[in-house]
Amino acid sequence: MAGIGLTTGVLAVLLPILGLLALAWLVVGPRKHLALAVPVSFGAGLLVGFGAKFLIDDVINPWGAPLDWRIYFFVGVAVTAISLVVPKMLRNKRWFVRALAPLAGLLVVLAVALQINQVFGYYPTLGSLWGDNGVRIETVTTPPPDQGGQLTAQTPTVKLSDWNPPADMPANGKVIKMAIPSTVSGVPSGDNFVYLPPAYLVAKPANVPVLVLIHGNPGGSQDWLTGGRIAQALDAYAAANKGIAPLVVMPDVSAQSAANWPMCMDSKLGKGGTFLAVDVPNFVRETFKLGLGSAQQFAIGGFSFGGTCAFQMGVTFPQAYPTFIDVSGERGPTIAGGDPAIIKTYFGGDAAAFAKVNPLDVLKTTKLPTSKGIIVVGGNDSAYRPQGEEVYRALKAAGAQVTLQTLPGGHTWSVWKPGVVNNLDWLMQQYGVR
């Protein structure tokens, strides 16, 4: 099941066709069915679809931006199909029609679910629905063997031109899950994943650079493995580059799904910025003996909430992350209610304290001439694209060496994954590998 595609392949084509046929079959019927049940069902679908859009996008607005309109359209289709099941059964005495009607409704719902998944691209395969990321994950409860014991602060970052893959280098990297101590910040972390590239998994490991990848909200660190298929992408990159790829840390930044996330900033509710700027790099240095030379060996990236986080860290902790990739991020930390809600919830009403960590405010008085970044926006991402463009302009005004990239797509994995993967060569140049 892990290899059965949900976004591409036979199932991705066949199920929508079957769903349309099932919906058409539910619609077809005698005159009374067409005159009463069908209009009522379509009305119910429109009511629920538009009602959900109004409630979620305009009233609750939990993500600070509207969802893709197609989500509500597909929800309306599902409601229409479900509403037609009972009339179809009641107006027909044939047993096989009564038996097939619920199955037809279920088929439409499955087709709708598939189409909603197509919008986000979160579950690429059938197996991913049950947590199969297509890669073996090793849970580590104690520090792994001292793989990087021969690495010191004086060991130069590996150069692609100088690296000769040893005979003991595996074909693929490895993914492990382990705890990240929050020694300095005190922010608890949940599931954290680390990708170890092939060039590091040898007796004399290469001093590879480090990339920290932040997930979205809602979501978790496993999203990079599930929706992003980042381990497979890194393996492919390593295969084309003598086994060299970054060691990638995917930390949980939700404080174990706390009601109020630390938001990648230091506030009265937690030192989320310190967790990423101090605890995570310390974890990498102590556990893997990487990044010992300088912060130049570290970069941070992320999508959506994680993109905002990467931007925040690049601005407020440039000494820790001089290089960053912000994919589909926002203009700053965001919760329902906007900046006033953040100031009240996170800073006890102290607007000046928030301004000290709000990146756009910081950029008004701070120059970043040595910082390098890429801002990636989706061409169809009407809510987040303008914010990314605003961030780009602010960084340029602050002297940062920053590039704006527009990729086809909306606020989905069709932008988020290539936003990072397509820029791996650029990252390697900043690290000094290429």
PDB file of all heavy atoms in Angstrom, residues 4-39:
ATOM      1  N   ILE A   4       1.067   2.776  -3.492  1.00  0.00           N
ATOM      2  CA  ILE A   4      -0.131   3.144  -4.239  1.00  0.00           C
ATOM      3  C   ILE A   4      -0.352   4.636  -4.103  1.00  0.00           C
ATOM      4  O   ILE A   4      -0.623   5.146  -3.022  1.00  0.00           O
ATOM      5  CB  ILE A   4      -1.357   2.369  -3.731  1.00  0.00           C
ATOM      6  CG1 ILE A   4      -1.134   0.861  -3.892  1.00  0.00           C
ATOM      7  CG2 ILE A   4      -2.605   2.803  -4.482  1.00  0.00           C
ATOM      8  CD1 ILE A   4      -2.257   0.022  -3.341  1.00  0.00           C
ATOM      9  N   GLY A   5      -0.225   5.360  -5.214  1.00  0.00           N
ATOM     10  CA  GLY A   5      -0.282   6.808  -5.164  1.00  0.00           C
ATOM     11  C   GLY A   5      -1.682   7.354  -4.946  1.00  0.00           C
ATOM     12  O   GLY A   5      -2.667   6.837  -5.486  1.00  0.00           O
ATOM     13  N   LEU A   6      -1.769   8.412  -4.130  1.00  0.00           N
ATOM     14  CA  LEU A   6      -3.035   9.112  -3.918  1.00  0.00           C
ATOM     15  C   LEU A   6      -3.064  10.442  -4.660  1.00  0.00           C
ATOM     16  O   LEU A   6      -4.134  10.996  -4.913  1.00  0.00           O
ATOM     17  CB  LEU A   6      -3.265   9.363  -2.426  1.00  0.00           C
ATOM     18  CG  LEU A   6      -3.529   8.129  -1.560  1.00  0.00           C
ATOM     19  CD1 LEU A   6      -3.741   8.536  -0.118  1.00  0.00           C
ATOM     20  CD2 LEU A   6      -4.728   7.345  -2.069  1.00  0.00           C
ATOM     21  N   THR A   7      -1.898  10.969  -4.992  1.00  0.00           N
ATOM     22  CA  THR A   7      -1.841  12.229  -5.730  1.00  0.00           C
ATOM     23  C   THR A   7      -1.509  12.000  -7.195  1.00  0.00           C
ATOM     24  O   THR A   7      -1.760  12.866  -8.035  1.00  0.00           O
ATOM     25  CB  THR A   7      -0.797  13.173  -5.107  1.00  0.00           C
ATOM     26  OG1 THR A   7       0.477  12.502  -5.044  1.00  0.00           O
ATOM     27  CG2 THR A   7      -1.209  13.582  -3.709  1.00  0.00           C
ATOM     28  N   THR A   8      -0.925  10.860  -7.506  1.00  0.00           N
ATOM     29  CA  THR A   8      -0.661  10.468  -8.888  1.00  0.00           C
ATOM     30  C   THR A   8      -0.956   8.980  -9.023  1.00  0.00           C
ATOM     31  O   THR A   8      -1.099   8.276  -8.033  1.00  0.00           O
ATOM     32  CB  THR A   8       0.813  10.727  -9.275  1.00  0.00           C
ATOM     33  OG1 THR A   8       1.674   9.989  -8.401  1.00  0.00           O
ATOM     34  CG2 THR A   8       1.153  12.203  -9.194  1.00  0.00           C
ATOM     35  N   GLY A   9      -1.054   8.504 -10.261  1.00  0.00           N
ATOM     36  CA  GLY A   9      -1.269   7.081 -10.477  1.00  0.00           C
ATOM     37  C   GLY A   9      -2.706   6.739 -10.821  1.00  0.00           C
ATOM     38  O   GLY A   9      -3.584   7.609 -10.945  1.00  0.00           O
ATOM     39  N   VAL A  10      -2.962   5.431 -10.951  1.00  0.00           N
ATOM     40  CA  VAL A  10      -4.266   4.945 -11.396  1.00  0.00           C
ATOM     41  C   VAL A  10      -5.381   5.337 -10.432  1.00  0.00           C
ATOM     42  O   VAL A  10      -6.454   5.801 -10.852  1.00  0.00           O
ATOM     43  CB  VAL A  10      -4.232   3.406 -11.562  1.00  0.00           C
ATOM     44  CG1 VAL A  10      -5.622   2.880 -11.912  1.00  0.00           C
ATOM     45  CG2 VAL A  10      -3.225   3.008 -12.636  1.00  0.00           C
ATOM     46  N   LEU A  11      -5.155   5.154  -9.131  1.00  0.00           N
ATOM     47  CA  LEU A  11      -6.205   5.441  -8.149  1.00  0.00           C
ATOM     48  C   LEU A  11      -6.596   6.916  -8.175  1.00  0.00           C
ATOM     49  O   LEU A  11      -7.779   7.256  -8.036  1.00  0.00           O
ATOM     50  CB  LEU A  11      -5.726   5.048  -6.752  1.00  0.00           C
ATOM     51  CG  LEU A  11      -6.770   5.131  -5.630  1.00  0.00           C
ATOM     52  CD1 LEU A  11      -7.912   4.178  -5.906  1.00  0.00           C
ATOM     53  CD2 LEU A  11      -6.124   4.820  -4.281  1.00  0.00           C
ATOM     54  N   ALA A  12      -5.605   7.796  -8.360  1.00  0.00           N
ATOM     55  CA  ALA A  12      -5.870   9.236  -8.377  1.00  0.00           C
ATOM     56  C   ALA A  12      -6.746   9.630  -9.564  1.00  0.00           C
ATOM     57  O   ALA A  12      -7.427  10.662  -9.525  1.00  0.00           O
ATOM     58  CB  ALA A  12      -4.556  10.010  -8.414  1.00  0.00           C
ATOM     59  N   VAL A  13      -6.746   8.830 -10.623  1.00  0.00           N
ATOM     60  CA  VAL A  13      -7.574   9.101 -11.802  1.00  0.00           C
ATOM     61  C   VAL A  13      -8.894   8.343 -11.722  1.00  0.00           C
ATOM     62  O   VAL A  13      -9.975   8.896 -11.994  1.00  0.00           O
ATOM     63  CB  VAL A  13      -6.826   8.716 -13.092  1.00  0.00           C
ATOM     64  CG1 VAL A  13      -7.730   8.891 -14.306  1.00  0.00           C
ATOM     65  CG2 VAL A  13      -5.557   9.547 -13.240  1.00  0.00           C
ATOM     66  N   LEU A  14      -8.845   7.079 -11.330  1.00  0.00           N
ATOM     67  CA  LEU A  14     -10.011   6.207 -11.355  1.00  0.00           C
ATOM     68  C   LEU A  14     -11.057   6.588 -10.315  1.00  0.00           C
ATOM     69  O   LEU A  14     -12.263   6.627 -10.621  1.00  0.00           O
ATOM     70  CB  LEU A  14      -9.576   4.753 -11.158  1.00  0.00           C
ATOM     71  CG  LEU A  14     -10.679   3.688 -11.201  1.00  0.00           C
ATOM     72  CD1 LEU A  14     -11.368   3.701 -12.561  1.00  0.00           C
ATOM     73  CD2 LEU A  14     -10.098   2.307 -10.898  1.00  0.00           C
ATOM     74  N   LEU A  15     -10.637   6.877  -9.080  1.00  0.00           N
ATOM     75  CA  LEU A  15     -11.604   7.138  -8.009  1.00  0.00           C
ATOM     76  C   LEU A  15     -12.464   8.372  -8.277  1.00  0.00           C
ATOM     77  O   LEU A  15     -13.693   8.330  -8.064  1.00  0.00           O
ATOM     78  CB  LEU A  15     -10.885   7.254  -6.661  1.00  0.00           C
ATOM     79  CG  LEU A  15     -11.782   7.298  -5.423  1.00  0.00           C
ATOM     80  CD1 LEU A  15     -12.730   6.107  -5.401  1.00  0.00           C
ATOM     81  CD2 LEU A  15     -10.936   7.313  -4.149  1.00  0.00           C
ATOM     82  N   PRO A  16     -11.928   9.495  -8.756  1.00  0.00           N
ATOM     83  CA  PRO A  16     -12.798  10.634  -9.082  1.00  0.00           C
ATOM     84  C   PRO A  16     -13.823  10.302 -10.170  1.00  0.00           C
ATOM     85  O   PRO A  16     -14.969  10.774 -10.108  1.00  0.00           O
ATOM     86  CB  PRO A  16     -11.820  11.708  -9.556  1.00  0.00           C
ATOM     87  CG  PRO A  16     -10.535  11.365  -8.894  1.00  0.00           C
ATOM     88  CD  PRO A  16     -10.497   9.870  -8.860  1.00  0.00           C
ATOM     89  N   ILE A  17     -13.418   9.507 -11.158  1.00  0.00           N
ATOM     90  CA  ILE A  17     -14.363   9.122 -12.220  1.00  0.00           C
ATOM     91  C   ILE A  17     -15.495   8.280 -11.639  1.00  0.00           C
ATOM     92  O   ILE A  17     -16.676   8.511 -11.929  1.00  0.00           O
ATOM     93  CB  ILE A  17     -13.627   8.349 -13.329  1.00  0.00           C
ATOM     94  CG1 ILE A  17     -12.650   9.281 -14.055  1.00  0.00           C
ATOM     95  CG2 ILE A  17     -14.629   7.750 -14.321  1.00  0.00           C
ATOM     96  CD1 ILE A  17     -11.782   8.575 -15.073  1.00  0.00           C
ATOM     97  N   LEU A  18     -15.133   7.308 -10.802  1.00  0.00           N
ATOM     98  CA  LEU A  18     -16.154   6.473 -10.167  1.00  0.00           C
ATOM     99  C   LEU A  18     -17.051   7.314  -9.259  1.00  0.00           C
ATOM    100  O   LEU A  18     -18.267   7.076  -9.172  1.00  0.00           O
ATOM    101  CB  LEU A  18     -15.487   5.357  -9.368  1.00  0.00           C
ATOM    102  CG  LEU A  18     -14.734   4.299 -10.182  1.00  0.00           C
ATOM    103  CD1 LEU A  18     -14.042   3.309  -9.258  1.00  0.00           C
ATOM    104  CD2 LEU A  18     -15.684   3.567 -11.124  1.00  0.00           C
ATOM    105  N   GLY A  19     -16.458   8.300  -8.579  1.00  0.00           N
ATOM    106  CA  GLY A  19     -17.245   9.174  -7.717  1.00  0.00           C
ATOM    107  C   GLY A  19     -18.258   9.990  -8.506  1.00  0.00           C
ATOM    108  O   GLY A  19     -19.411  10.153  -8.077  1.00  0.00           O
ATOM    109  N   LEU A  20     -17.859  10.507  -9.664  1.00  0.00           N
ATOM    110  CA  LEU A  20     -18.783  11.253 -10.508  1.00  0.00           C
ATOM    111  C   LEU A  20     -19.917  10.369 -11.014  1.00  0.00           C
ATOM    112  O   LEU A  20     -21.090  10.775 -11.044  1.00  0.00           O
ATOM    113  CB  LEU A  20     -18.030  11.857 -11.693  1.00  0.00           C
ATOM    114  CG  LEU A  20     -17.232  13.135 -11.414  1.00  0.00           C
ATOM    115  CD1 LEU A  20     -16.390  13.514 -12.628  1.00  0.00           C
ATOM    116  CD2 LEU A  20     -18.178  14.281 -11.038  1.00  0.00           C
ATOM    117  N   LEU A  21     -19.583   9.147 -11.428  1.00  0.00           N
ATOM    118  CA  LEU A  21     -20.601   8.205 -11.890  1.00  0.00           C
ATOM    119  C   LEU A  21     -21.573   7.859 -10.761  1.00  0.00           C
ATOM    120  O   LEU A  21     -22.789   7.759 -10.971  1.00  0.00           O
ATOM    121  CB  LEU A  21     -19.941   6.944 -12.440  1.00  0.00           C
ATOM    122  CG  LEU A  21     -19.129   7.113 -13.733  1.00  0.00           C
ATOM    123  CD1 LEU A  21     -18.415   5.809 -14.087  1.00  0.00           C
ATOM    124  CD2 LEU A  21     -20.041   7.561 -14.881  1.00  0.00           C
ATOM    125  N   ALA A  22     -21.033   7.675  -9.546  1.00  0.00           N
ATOM    126  CA  ALA A  22     -21.889   7.354  -8.397  1.00  0.00           C
ATOM    127  C   ALA A  22     -22.828   8.512  -8.083  1.00  0.00           C
ATOM    128  O   ALA A  22     -24.020   8.308  -7.787  1.00  0.00           O
ATOM    129  CB  ALA A  22     -21.022   7.022  -7.183  1.00  0.00           C
ATOM    130  N   LEU A  23     -22.311   9.745  -8.157  1.00  0.00           N
ATOM    131  CA  LEU A  23     -23.144  10.914  -7.894  1.00  0.00           C
ATOM    132  C   LEU A  23     -24.247  11.024  -8.949  1.00  0.00           C
ATOM    133  O   LEU A  23     -25.416  11.307  -8.621  1.00  0.00           O
ATOM    134  CB  LEU A  23     -22.284  12.184  -7.882  1.00  0.00           C
ATOM    135  CG  LEU A  23     -23.028  13.502  -7.634  1.00  0.00           C
ATOM    136  CD1 LEU A  23     -23.729  13.482  -6.283  1.00  0.00           C
ATOM    137  CD2 LEU A  23     -22.072  14.679  -7.730  1.00  0.00           C
ATOM    138  N   ALA A  24     -23.882  10.798 -10.217  1.00  0.00           N
ATOM    139  CA  ALA A  24     -24.878  10.853 -11.286  1.00  0.00           C
ATOM    140  C   ALA A  24     -25.959   9.799 -11.074  1.00  0.00           C
ATOM    141  O   ALA A  24     -27.156  10.057 -11.300  1.00  0.00           O
ATOM    142  CB  ALA A  24     -24.192  10.664 -12.634  1.00  0.00           C
ATOM    143  N   TRP A  25     -25.562   8.613 -10.634  1.00  0.00           N
ATOM    144  CA  TRP A  25     -26.533   7.528 -10.390  1.00  0.00           C
ATOM    145  C   TRP A  25     -27.473   7.889  -9.250  1.00  0.00           C
ATOM    146  O   TRP A  25     -28.670   7.591  -9.294  1.00  0.00           O
ATOM    147  CB  TRP A  25     -25.784   6.234 -10.092  1.00  0.00           C
ATOM    148  CG  TRP A  25     -26.680   5.056  -9.866  1.00  0.00           C
ATOM    149  CD1 TRP A  25     -27.320   4.299 -10.804  1.00  0.00           C
ATOM    150  CD2 TRP A  25     -27.047   4.501  -8.590  1.00  0.00           C
ATOM    151  NE1 TRP A  25     -28.054   3.311 -10.212  1.00  0.00           N
ATOM    152  CE2 TRP A  25     -27.913   3.400  -8.843  1.00  0.00           C
ATOM    153  CE3 TRP A  25     -26.736   4.806  -7.279  1.00  0.00           C
ATOM    154  CZ2 TRP A  25     -28.449   2.630  -7.826  1.00  0.00           C
ATOM    155  CZ3 TRP A  25     -27.278   4.038  -6.257  1.00  0.00           C
ATOM    156  CH2 TRP A  25     -28.125   2.964  -6.542  1.00  0.00           C
ATOM    157  N   LEU A  26     -26.949   8.566  -8.213  1.00  0.00           N
ATOM    158  CA  LEU A  26     -27.789   8.997  -7.099  1.00  0.00           C
ATOM    159  C   LEU A  26     -28.777  10.074  -7.531  1.00  0.00           C
ATOM    160  O   LEU A  26     -29.892  10.164  -6.996  1.00  0.00           O
ATOM    161  CB  LEU A  26     -26.913   9.524  -5.956  1.00  0.00           C
ATOM    162  CG  LEU A  26     -26.125   8.483  -5.158  1.00  0.00           C
ATOM    163  CD1 LEU A  26     -25.115   9.161  -4.243  1.00  0.00           C
ATOM    164  CD2 LEU A  26     -27.064   7.601  -4.340  1.00  0.00           C
ATOM    165  N   VAL A  27     -28.383  10.896  -8.494  1.00  0.00           N
ATOM    166  CA  VAL A  27     -29.254  11.966  -8.971  1.00  0.00           C
ATOM    167  C   VAL A  27     -30.392  11.417  -9.839  1.00  0.00           C
ATOM    168  O   VAL A  27     -31.556  11.833  -9.718  1.00  0.00           O
ATOM    169  CB  VAL A  27     -28.434  13.006  -9.765  1.00  0.00           C
ATOM    170  CG1 VAL A  27     -29.374  13.977 -10.504  1.00  0.00           C
ATOM    171  CG2 VAL A  27     -27.504  13.770  -8.833  1.00  0.00           C
ATOM    172  N   VAL A  28     -30.075  10.484 -10.709  1.00  0.00           N
ATOM    173  CA  VAL A  28     -31.070   9.953 -11.648  1.00  0.00           C
ATOM    174  C   VAL A  28     -32.190   9.220 -10.896  1.00  0.00           C
ATOM    175  O   VAL A  28     -31.945   8.468  -9.945  1.00  0.00           O
ATOM    176  CB  VAL A  28     -30.402   8.994 -12.659  1.00  0.00           C
ATOM    177  CG1 VAL A  28     -31.449   8.287 -13.512  1.00  0.00           C
ATOM    178  CG2 VAL A  28     -29.437   9.772 -13.540  1.00  0.00           C
ATOM    179  N   GLY A  29     -33.426   9.451 -11.327  1.00  0.00           N
ATOM    180  CA  GLY A  29     -34.556   8.787 -10.686  1.00  0.00           C
ATOM    181  C   GLY A  29     -35.865   9.242 -11.282  1.00  0.00           C
ATOM    182  O   GLY A  29     -35.894   9.999 -12.265  1.00  0.00           O
ATOM    183  N   PRO A  30     -36.981   8.845 -10.701  1.00  0.00           N
ATOM    184  CA  PRO A  30     -38.299   9.250 -11.204  1.00  0.00           C
ATOM    185  C   PRO A  30     -38.527  10.751 -11.044  1.00  0.00           C
ATOM    186  O   PRO A  30     -37.767  11.443 -10.365  1.00  0.00           O
ATOM    187  CB  PRO A  30     -39.270   8.434 -10.344  1.00  0.00           C
ATOM    188  CG  PRO A  30     -38.501   8.101  -9.114  1.00  0.00           C
ATOM    189  CD  PRO A  30     -37.088   7.937  -9.546  1.00  0.00           C
ATOM    190  N   ARG A  31     -39.618  11.236 -11.653  1.00  0.00           N
ATOM    191  CA  ARG A  31     -39.885  12.661 -11.682  1.00  0.00           C
ATOM    192  C   ARG A  31     -39.959  13.275 -10.285  1.00  0.00           C
ATOM    193  O   ARG A  31     -39.420  14.364 -10.040  1.00  0.00           O
ATOM    194  CB  ARG A  31     -41.194  12.923 -12.424  1.00  0.00           C
ATOM    195  CG  ARG A  31     -41.527  14.406 -12.566  1.00  0.00           C
ATOM    196  CD  ARG A  31     -42.795  14.596 -13.364  1.00  0.00           C
ATOM    197  NE  ARG A  31     -42.648  14.036 -14.703  1.00  0.00           N
ATOM    198  CZ  ARG A  31     -43.652  14.004 -15.583  1.00  0.00           C
ATOM    199  NH1 ARG A  31     -44.854  14.449 -15.248  1.00  0.00           N
ATOM    200  NH2 ARG A  31     -43.458  13.476 -16.787  1.00  0.00           N
ATOM    201  N   LYS A  32     -40.599  12.589  -9.361  1.00  0.00           N
ATOM    202  CA  LYS A  32     -40.744  13.118  -8.002  1.00  0.00           C
ATOM    203  C   LYS A  32     -39.377  13.240  -7.322  1.00  0.00           C
ATOM    204  O   LYS A  32     -39.112  14.187  -6.578  1.00  0.00           O
ATOM    205  CB  LYS A  32     -41.669  12.208  -7.184  1.00  0.00           C
ATOM    206  CG  LYS A  32     -42.060  12.805  -5.837  1.00  0.00           C
ATOM    207  CD  LYS A  32     -43.098  11.947  -5.129  1.00  0.00           C
ATOM    208  CE  LYS A  32     -44.453  12.058  -5.812  1.00  0.00           C
ATOM    209  NZ  LYS A  32     -45.523  11.386  -5.026  1.00  0.00           N
ATOM    210  N   HIS A  33     -38.471  12.289  -7.581  1.00  0.00           N
ATOM    211  CA  HIS A  33     -37.103  12.324  -7.051  1.00  0.00           C
ATOM    212  C   HIS A  33     -36.357  13.539  -7.610  1.00  0.00           C
ATOM    213  O   HIS A  33     -35.680  14.275  -6.869  1.00  0.00           O
ATOM    214  CB  HIS A  33     -36.377  11.028  -7.415  1.00  0.00           C
ATOM    215  CG  HIS A  33     -34.940  10.980  -6.981  1.00  0.00           C
ATOM    216  ND1 HIS A  33     -34.571  10.731  -5.679  1.00  0.00           N
ATOM    217  CD2 HIS A  33     -33.781  11.149  -7.682  1.00  0.00           C
ATOM    218  CE1 HIS A  33     -33.246  10.737  -5.587  1.00  0.00           C
ATOM    219  NE2 HIS A  33     -32.734  10.987  -6.793  1.00  0.00           N
ATOM    220  N   LEU A  34     -36.509  13.745  -8.924  1.00  0.00           N
ATOM    221  CA  LEU A  34     -35.820  14.860  -9.572  1.00  0.00           C
ATOM    222  C   LEU A  34     -36.395  16.208  -9.144  1.00  0.00           C
ATOM    223  O   LEU A  34     -35.678  17.205  -9.062  1.00  0.00           O
ATOM    224  CB  LEU A  34     -35.915  14.719 -11.091  1.00  0.00           C
ATOM    225  CG  LEU A  34     -35.169  13.525 -11.712  1.00  0.00           C
ATOM    226  CD1 LEU A  34     -35.502  13.408 -13.190  1.00  0.00           C
ATOM    227  CD2 LEU A  34     -33.656  13.663 -11.516  1.00  0.00           C
ATOM    228  N   ALA A  35     -37.698  16.227  -8.862  1.00  0.00           N
ATOM    229  CA  ALA A  35     -38.353  17.488  -8.529  1.00  0.00           C
ATOM    230  C   ALA A  35     -38.182  17.888  -7.069  1.00  0.00           C
ATOM    231  O   ALA A  35     -38.210  19.083  -6.737  1.00  0.00           O
ATOM    232  CB  ALA A  35     -39.843  17.397  -8.862  1.00  0.00           C
ATOM    233  N   LEU A  36     -38.000  16.917  -6.183  1.00  0.00           N
ATOM    234  CA  LEU A  36     -37.942  17.220  -4.750  1.00  0.00           C
ATOM    235  C   LEU A  36     -36.590  16.887  -4.122  1.00  0.00           C
ATOM    236  O   LEU A  36     -35.897  17.766  -3.603  1.00  0.00           O
ATOM    237  CB  LEU A  36     -39.054  16.474  -4.018  1.00  0.00           C
ATOM    238  CG  LEU A  36     -39.136  16.721  -2.504  1.00  0.00           C
ATOM    239  CD1 LEU A  36     -39.389  18.197  -2.236  1.00  0.00           C
ATOM    240  CD2 LEU A  36     -40.237  15.852  -1.893  1.00  0.00           C
ATOM    241  N   ALA A  37     -36.199  15.622  -4.182  1.00  0.00           N
ATOM    242  CA  ALA A  37     -34.990  15.184  -3.485  1.00  0.00           C
ATOM    243  C   ALA A  37     -33.728  15.843  -4.035  1.00  0.00           C
ATOM    244  O   ALA A  37     -32.859  16.289  -3.271  1.00  0.00           O
ATOM    245  CB  ALA A  37     -34.865  13.661  -3.567  1.00  0.00           C
ATOM    246  N   VAL A  38     -33.628  15.913  -5.360  1.00  0.00           N
ATOM    247  CA  VAL A  38     -32.404  16.468  -5.957  1.00  0.00           C
ATOM    248  C   VAL A  38     -32.213  17.947  -5.619  1.00  0.00           C
ATOM    249  O   VAL A  38     -31.133  18.347  -5.162  1.00  0.00           O
ATOM    250  CB  VAL A  38     -32.392  16.226  -7.488  1.00  0.00           C
ATOM    251  CG1 VAL A  38     -31.223  16.973  -8.140  1.00  0.00           C
ATOM    252  CG2 VAL A  38     -32.296  14.735  -7.784  1.00  0.00           C
ATOM    253  N   PRO A  39     -33.236  18.810  -5.811  1.00  0.00           N
ATOM    254  CA  PRO A  39     -33.037  20.221  -5.441  1.00  0.00           C
ATOM    255  C   PRO A  39     -32.727  20.408  -3.952  1.00  0.00           C
ATOM    256  O   PRO A  39     -31.896  21.247  -3.586  1.00  0.00           O
ATOM    257  CB  PRO A  39     -34.379  20.871  -5.808  1.00  0.00           C
ATOM    258  CG  PRO A  39     -34.963  19.988  -6.849  1.00  0.00           C
ATOM    259  CD  PRO A  39     -34.551  18.601  -6.466  1.00  0.00           C
TER     260      PRO A  39
END
